Amino acid sequence: MNLKRNSALLGAVAVGALTLAACGSDNNAGSVDVDASASAATCEGKENLSAAGSSAQKNAMDNFVSTYIAVCSEKGKTVNVAYNPSGSGDGRTQFIASQIDFAGSDSAIKAEQAGQAAERCAGNPAWNLPLVFGPVALAYNLEGVDDLVLDAETAAKIFNGTVNKWNDPAIAALNEGVELPDSNITPIVRSDSSGTTDNFQQYLETASKGAWTTGAGSDFTGGVGEGAKGSAGVAQAVNGSPGAITYVEKSFADQNGLSIARIDNGSGPVELNDETAGKAIDGAAFASTGGGDLTLDLSSIFGSTEEGSYPLVLATYEIVCSAGYDADTSAAVKSFLTSAANEGQNGLAEQGYVPLPDSFKQKLTESIEAIA
């Protein structure tokens, strides 16, 4: 959705995360209940796929691999996918170097790296296929205030220090009838480079009506706040600091018992849940104009004003060759991704991710099928 820890996106939005061991083993298969007859996965091609990259999608990938192993086992096939959550940048580098079959990344492969990937793919473009989405919460610790509303403009002012009191008129205007304390706001931000930070700042750039002027990037640019490392670190810091607020994947906010602000995207306050985050994904536009590449126009998500749409959602991609694999690798990549995009989505919500809406799943499946 670094979702650097770039991954955090989802980071884990369920990133659970800092584990660097490769996932995917036959030990996972027994615990997964699947209906293999309903799966479109062929389980053809080479038995062992390799991948690396975003740690944000690490827990989702565990789920995909376990499900795929179970499906293929019922079909009499032995398969495995070894995924190393080594970070998005490393995943892209390994993919370009032909060291892995596909990469996980919190950002699309582009510019010079896209050209290098095309060379690796025998002159064919690499495609960015968004497979894992995770919502980011504005999580806070404010005694007596369990239902807080913020918008992008006010959030930008909190994280650049322009608004520094909880009863500031900008916050009060969004929370009529709520008794807000006359106390300081303590923004907690990522001290490490993070895709969550990058996407949060892109959201502020897109939706804050010019209130965010310091740019995006994987390092926090707002100039205020206290730093903490990793998604777990910022969530724990807020939990221990009355008056604090942070941006963090929903699963970490839930784990620490933090309150989560509703976001007013211009059409009224929206609660963070699967339905509202899924609505934002369903309305996403694509930056690419044709072919099977599904690089997202993130402004279509971050800037959504659709009623009931939660706009702060991170995406992570699988980067694949559109063509140029050998036949066995192509068949295996297509089979695994087909399973991941369909039955592999079951159980993602419990891990803090957002399962793909049906219409988005259809677009993704068409691209997977088009891999040559």
Side-chain angles (χ1 to χ4, degrees):
M1 53 156 192
N2 274 157
L3 67 291
K4 12 167 200 206
R5 202 184 146 96
N6 228 31
S7 1
L9 203 209
L10 221 109
V13 138
V15 131
L18 296 177
T19 309
L20 295 180
C23 348
S25 73
D26 298 271
N27 295 333
N28 296 328
S31 61
V32 179
D33 184 18
V34 298
D35 179 6
S37 65
S39 174
T42 65
C43 302
E44 298 294 336
K46 68 180 186 180
E47 291 185 357
N48 297 303
L49 286 171
S50 61
S54 166
S55 62
Q57 66 175 20
K58 189 266 181 187
N59 287 358
M61 191 61 66
D62 284 348
N63 195 74
F64 298 154
V65 172
S66 297
T67 301
Y68 186 55
I69 290 172
V71 165
C72 293
S73 179
E74 286 196 21
K75 294 186 177 186
K77 300 290 182 69
T78 299
V79 298
N80 193 34
V81 182
Y83 183 79
N84 183 356
S86 55
S88 296
D90 180 69
R92 294 192 300 270
T93 298
Q94 288 197 52
F95 177 76
I96 289 168
S98 299
Q99 295 171 345
I100 52 177
D101 298 313
F102 66 91
S105 178
D106 299 330
S107 57
I109 197 165
K110 54 190 175 183
E112 181 182 359
Q113 281 195 325
Q116 294 168 341
E119 291 182 20
R120 174 259 155 93
C121 297
N124 302 287
W127 284 348
N128 301 282
L129 304 181
L131 182 63
V132 181
F133 288 86
V136 172
L138 290 175
Y140 65 96
N141 179 352
L142 193 59
E143 186 176 359
V145 181
D146 298 322
D147 183 16
L148 182 73
V149 177
L150 295 173
D151 58 15
E153 182 177 2
T154 307
K157 291 177 179 178
I158 288 172
F159 283 92
N160 67 18
T162 306
V163 167
N164 50 40
K165 291 279 190 179
W166 278 111
N167 64 349
D168 185 282
I171 300 177
L174 294 166
N175 295 272
E176 291 186 19
V178 177
E179 187 173 346
L180 297 166
D182 182 18
S183 58
N184 292 332
I185 301 173
T186 303
I188 305 291
V189 303
R190 290 285 291 271
S191 59
D192 54 326
S193 293
S194 161
T196 309
T197 296
D198 186 18
N199 280 271
F200 176 60
Q201 293 181 137
Q202 287 186 59
Y203 161 68
L204 296 180
E205 276 193 314
T206 300
S208 71
K209 301 178 182 178
W212 189 258
T213 61
T214 53
S218 58
D219 295 319
F220 182 72
T221 65
V224 300
E226 299 178 4
K229 187 174 182 179
S231 298
V234 294
Q236 291 165 5
V238 172
N239 189 39
S241 304
I245 186 171
T246 194
Y247 53 91
V248 70
E249 295 84 359
K250 181 178 182 293
S251 61
F252 289 95
D254 291 342
Q255 289 166 14
N256 285 273
L258 302 178
S259 297
I260 297 175
R262 291 186 290 158
I263 292 181
D264 189 337
N265 67 359
S267 299
V270 181
E271 181 182 353
L272 170 50
N273 57 43
D274 288 348
E275 181 181 354
T276 59
K279 194 167 187 177
I281 297 167
D282 209 19
F286 299 97
S288 48
T289 56
D293 183 71
L294 296 180
T295 300
L296 293 164
D297 175 5
L298 292 176
S299 65
S300 68
I301 298 176
F302 297 150
S304 174
T305 58
E306 184 178 4
E307 186 176 357
S309 174
Y310 184 87
L312 190 44
V313 178
L314 310 187
T316 60
Y317 297 92
E318 311 314 319
I319 299 172
V320 302
C321 290
S322 60
Y325 288 123
D326 63 78
D328 280 347
T329 301
S330 177
V333 168
K334 292 171 69 171
S335 179
F336 171 68
L337 293 180
T338 296
S339 177
N342 290 281
E343 62 270 9
Q345 298 292 308
N346 297 332
L348 289 191
E350 289 77 5
Q351 299 183 50
Y353 298 100
V354 184
L356 297 176
D358 287 343
S359 61
F360 192 95
K361 188 185 299 183
Q362 181 179 350
K363 296 185 184 78
L364 178 59
T365 300
E366 289 172 357
S367 289
I368 294 168
E369 290 174 348
I371 296 171

